[in-house]
């Protein structure tokens, strides 16, 4: 897993993630069953993790599509984990 986002992008993701986490935590302290706050907490945690590791799976998927050969078949694109 190589970093695929820049340092500035990582800082922005960390800031946005911590902001979402703090908002959702405050919202959950006031209301017990807030599905919006739980969803935002999940999104915020994902953004913090992406900023910390400097790896975004969505960016990775998009760059793999751009570099893919159009003649490549699905059977040729087998991932070997070893």
């Amino acid at each position: 897993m190589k970093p695929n986002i820049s340092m500035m992008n990582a800082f922005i993701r960390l800031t946005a993630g911590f902001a979402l986490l703090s908002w959702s935590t405050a919202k959950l302290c006031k209301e017990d069953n807030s599905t919006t706050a739980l969803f935002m907490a999940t999104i915020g945690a994902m953004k913090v993790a992406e900023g910390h590791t400097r790896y975004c799976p969505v960016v990775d998927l998009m760059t793999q599509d751009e570099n893919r050969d159009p003649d490549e078949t699905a059977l040729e694109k087998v991932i070997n984990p070893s």
Side-chain angles (χ1 to χ4, degrees):
M1 185 168 78
K2 295 183 345 185
N4 61 356
I5 59 174
S6 67
M7 190 65 85
M8 182 59 75
N9 194 336
F11 286 137
I12 291 170
R13 287 173 193 258
L14 281 169
T15 304
F18 281 127
L20 281 173
L21 275 175
S22 63
W23 175 83
S24 62
T25 304
K27 189 83 164 173
L28 285 171
C29 286
K30 292 180 182 178
E31 300 173 13
D32 288 336
N33 294 330
S34 177
T35 56
T36 304
L38 284 174
F39 181 70
M40 288 300 183
T42 305
I43 298 296
M46 286 175 25
K47 292 300 162 193
V48 169
E50 289 172 3
H52 181 69
T53 59
R54 290 185 54 207
Y55 176 78
C56 179
V58 175
V59 171
D60 194 29
L61 285 173
M62 292 300 188
T63 55
Q64 284 180 358
D65 272 353
E66 292 172 358
N67 297 334
R68 193 174 72 192
D69 185 18
D71 296 330
E72 188 177 48
T73 64
L75 293 176
E76 294 173 344
K77 198 176 176 185
V78 176
I79 298 172
N80 187 0
S82 60

